[in-house]
Amino acid sequence: MIEILPIKVLRDEDANIFGKLNVFLGKLSRLDVPVADGIVVTPPVLHLKTTLEHFDFGDKELFEQSLSLVKKEIEKTPVPEILEKESKGHDNFLVNSEKIKGVRKLWLVLLYCWINQIKDRLWKDGFYIGITENLAPQVVIFTKKPDSFGLIFYEPELDETIIDSKSGQLLPLESRKLDEMVQLANKRLLIPHKYEWILDNGIKLTKVLPYTPGIQENTPDVSTFHLGGGVEDSSRLHLSGEHTRSAVKVFLDLSTGLTVDDANGVFISSEKIFDLNKPQTSFEELIFKLVECGTTFSPSPVLVKLADMSEGMGKIRGTLRLLHQKSLLDPLCEAILFARNKKDLINIHVVIPFVRGVNELMQIKRELAVKKLMRKNSLQQWLEIAVPENIINLDEYLITGIDGVVLNLDELSAHFAGYDHNSQDVSFYKHEVSGLLKFLEDGIKLMHKSKIPFIAQGSLCLNPVVLEFLVEKGVYGIVAERYEAPAAHDLLHQAEKRMILNRSS
């Protein structure tokens, strides 16, 4: 009826029956990577096939009704003897991030997993012969008292390990150990994967999942913690899916990916959308993004950074390039004007990118005024600060007239310390932030004195040391990726709480 093997005995020859990824999990358990004790269970193909044959799935209107009847019929299936035998001595299980108590409940959950796979196939292709074949075998983990479990993967583009905690909490030391474990697992399997994990008398891996290179745009809204730096100094983290509100605003970076409907504001880097090689199609994509975000998040601010098309440190980029390349500046202005004037989305504002001097700022402001994007009550002009010169001469920039400042911490850190923040070979310099924070203090004081709000952008924002500094210095908001937002709210809330406690003590 079904076949079962312990995870630790799975080998390459078992891949056709028990799945290649499950075989990888067995391989890791034999290569000094901590893997939880458990079994892999194959579906009862024949039983599912004979059950489905009694029902009509051809009529869409009867689809759900028929499926409900299938579930009731399936529930009558007795627990297989082999499952009772292999799970003997265990009463608590984990299947697909769901805690289960009792073998009978375990069997029902496994059946529902396979029924849901069949349901997806029915919706996609309708009923066909062989619909019950090649269903995914299920991993069953034996547990005692799990403190936490979730998902983890390494994102090379961010040079960060991202943890999604489905339940419970992790200490910083445990997060670091989990990070090291994933790095080792990726080395053992030669290519990166995603992994499910559990904290149950030690941290162990429970499942291997496929990984697609690039930023995970399809990652659900989960709480994440980036193990970039300062982890040992951070407090205990709450990593559940429910995020806490914070006084500091969170601006979602929606330059790529889908729009969601829960944020204090939006930040869009237009260079990630507009492409000079595809001017017409990318122009239409930019307009669609502006209208979508402006409508969805109204009346919250949508900050649109003019394109900073960089070719590396020291190259022509940012505002200088905008001033000398009309084919770049004109479409951006036209898209913003269309969204603001034709769609009445006056919550869309402009961010001026990568300025190397006050003269550049004055020139771009004149160009924007000519294109009817001058600064006024309904249109704010924010300035991106990305080089140390901006901080040193901040008083002169403020005199020209700006409504807010975006601190690009990654760029500031790179130019301040003299390294390329996009190079992984010197990425460790990202975590040496003490000098940068001291350098920013006077500029932040001047912004407060001038009543100019500032927000922070970059991967350094969620560094615990940097985050506490920003909260203490009165940052208005931080820019976070869509999947970072729940963790950002939670970390900000904790930083605010610690600041209040420190001041009251």
Side-chain angles (χ1 to χ4, degrees):
M1 186 178 181
I2 63 174
E3 293 190 51
I4 299 177
L5 278 180
I7 293 172
K8 59 186 177 182
V9 305
L10 290 175
R11 299 187 180 277
D12 291 341
E13 53 267 29
D14 301 313
N16 289 336
I17 297 175
F18 292 93
K20 182 179 179 181
L21 294 175
N22 296 330
V23 169
F24 283 168
L25 189 62
K27 180 179 180 180
L28 291 176
S29 68
R30 299 188 295 274
L31 292 174
D32 303 324
V33 178
V35 173
D37 189 22
I39 56 178
V40 180
V41 185
T42 64
V45 177
L46 182 59
H47 179 69
L48 292 172
K49 180 180 179 182
T50 54
T51 302
L52 289 176
E53 286 176 349
H54 292 90
F55 298 91
D56 180 16
F57 290 96
D59 190 343
K60 291 287 185 181
E61 294 180 359
L62 298 177
F63 181 90
E64 290 293 341
Q65 183 179 353
S66 298
L67 199 61
S68 298
L69 295 174
V70 169
K71 287 184 178 181
K72 290 182 180 180
E73 186 69 24
I74 289 293
E75 287 175 359
K76 300 176 184 178
T77 309
V79 179
E81 292 183 6
I82 186 173
L83 181 60
E84 291 183 331
K85 179 181 178 181
E86 293 293 339
S87 62
K88 187 176 182 180
H90 301 279
D91 197 44
N92 295 288
F93 311 95
L94 186 72
V95 176
N96 294 328
S97 300
E98 180 181 355
K99 290 189 285 187
I100 302 161
K101 186 174 180 64
V103 179
R104 177 61 187 171
K105 179 69 180 299
L106 169 64
W107 177 234
L108 291 178
V109 168
L110 292 174
L111 289 173
Y112 290 154
C113 288
W114 293 312
I115 286 295
N116 286 332
Q117 290 181 41
I118 295 172
K119 178 181 177 181
D120 292 340
R121 295 179 180 183
L122 284 168
W123 273 116
K124 183 179 179 181
D125 302 314
F127 186 81
Y128 58 90
I129 298 175
I131 196 171
T132 60
E133 296 178 3
N134 299 317
L135 298 174
Q138 297 298 310
V139 177
V140 178
I141 300 299
F142 303 143
T143 66
K144 294 181 179 178
K145 293 183 178 179
D147 297 313
S148 182
F149 54 86
L151 178 74
I152 185 171
F153 63 93
Y154 174 72
E155 177 53 71
E157 290 193 17
L158 298 175
D159 190 26
E160 301 286 358
T161 298
I162 299 177
I163 299 176
D164 165 18
S165 184
K166 302 291 186 183
S167 173
Q169 301 175 343
L170 282 180
L171 289 168
L173 186 60
E174 294 165 342
S175 298
R176 175 61 64 187
K177 184 176 181 181
L178 186 56
D179 174 42
E180 294 172 352
M181 189 184 302
V182 167
Q183 300 292 345
L184 177 60
N186 281 340
K187 289 181 181 178
R188 294 287 188 262
L189 297 181
L190 302 179
I191 58 175
H193 287 78
K194 289 184 180 181
Y195 305 91
E196 290 185 1
W197 55 269
I198 189 172
L199 176 58
D200 186 12
N201 193 26
I203 294 181
K204 303 161 189 173
L205 300 184
T206 60
K207 203 169 187 179
V208 179
L209 299 169
Y211 168 81
T212 302
I215 295 177
Q216 303 300 301
E217 295 182 0
N218 295 324
T219 303
D221 288 333
V222 297
S223 296
T224 59
F225 179 59
H226 291 240
L227 297 167
V231 175
E232 294 80 2
D233 299 329
S234 66
S235 63
R236 190 179 182 103
L237 298 174
H238 182 268
L239 297 171
S240 68
E242 298 178 0
H243 61 77
T244 310
R245 294 297 176 186
S246 57
V248 177
K249 308 297 183 184
V250 174
F251 288 73
L252 289 186
D253 188 339
L254 295 180
S255 308
T256 59
L258 302 174
T259 298
V260 294
D261 57 0
D262 183 19
N264 305 125
V266 176
F267 188 89
I268 297 175
S269 298
S270 60
E271 69 270 11
K272 296 181 180 179
I273 304 174
F274 185 72
D275 187 349
L276 288 169
N277 296 319
K278 299 183 292 183
Q280 186 58 38
T281 56
S282 61
F283 173 72
E284 294 172 357
E285 289 174 8
L286 178 59
I287 288 180
F288 177 78
K289 176 66 73 173
L290 295 182
V291 173
E292 181 187 29
C293 291
T295 303
T296 304
F297 293 93
S298 180
S300 298
V302 177
L303 302 181
V304 183
K305 188 179 79 170
L306 300 178
D308 176 18
M309 293 190 174
S310 172
E311 297 174 355
M313 293 181 70
K315 302 291 186 178
I316 296 177
R317 56 177 292 192
T319 294
L320 181 62
R321 183 165 182 171
L322 291 169
L323 290 170
H324 292 84
Q325 190 170 4
K326 290 179 64 66
S327 61
L328 178 59
L329 179 60
D330 288 353
L332 302 178
C333 294
E334 187 178 341
I336 294 172
L337 285 169
F338 176 85
R340 284 180 56 84
N341 299 338
K342 300 296 184 182
K343 299 297 182 180
D344 294 324
L345 299 174
I346 59 173
N347 59 325
I348 295 178
H349 306 286
V350 176
V351 179
I352 298 171
F354 201 86
V355 175
R356 289 188 173 99
V358 178
N359 288 335
E360 279 188 10
L361 176 60
M362 295 175 66
Q363 289 181 54
I364 194 67
K365 285 172 69 70
R366 283 194 291 268
E367 289 290 332
L368 292 175
V370 169
K371 299 180 186 302
K372 299 182 180 180
L373 284 174
M374 72 287 290
R375 180 178 176 235
K376 52 188 176 182
N377 289 335
S378 63
L379 175 60
Q380 298 178 0
Q381 290 181 347
W382 287 57
L383 173 66
E384 180 189 39
I385 287 183
V387 295
E389 185 274 346
N390 302 155
I391 295 293
I392 295 172
N393 294 321
L394 184 58
D395 55 338
E396 298 181 28
Y397 285 99
L398 297 181
I399 290 173
T400 66
I402 57 175
D403 297 287
V405 165
V406 179
L407 292 177
N408 191 324
L409 295 180
D410 289 347
E411 292 276 6
L412 278 168
S413 175
H415 289 90
F416 181 80
Y419 70 95
D420 185 353
H421 67 95
N422 292 316
S423 174
Q424 293 188 9
D425 295 335
V426 291
S427 61
F428 57 88
Y429 281 117
K430 283 184 181 180
H431 314 314
E432 298 180 8
V433 296
S434 59
L436 175 65
L437 300 185
K438 291 178 183 178
F439 177 71
L440 292 175
E441 284 188 0
D442 290 340
I444 291 175
K445 289 179 182 177
L446 180 58
M447 283 187 276
H448 282 310
K449 185 178 179 180
S450 304
K451 297 183 180 179
I452 298 295
F454 73 96
I455 65 176
Q457 176 197 15
S459 60
L460 280 177
C461 286
L462 295 186
N463 179 310
V465 176
V466 176
L467 193 65
E468 291 205 13
F469 171 84
L470 293 172
V471 171
E472 184 180 352
K473 298 302 180 183
V475 66
Y476 177 73
I478 66 170
V479 179
E481 298 286 350
R482 180 171 60 89
Y483 54 83
E484 292 176 331
H489 278 292
D490 198 29
L491 293 171
L492 284 167
H493 176 76
Q494 293 181 49
E496 291 166 356
K497 185 176 180 180
R498 285 195 295 273
M499 182 188 69
I500 294 171
L501 293 174
N502 290 336
R503 290 183 176 180
S504 62
S505 60

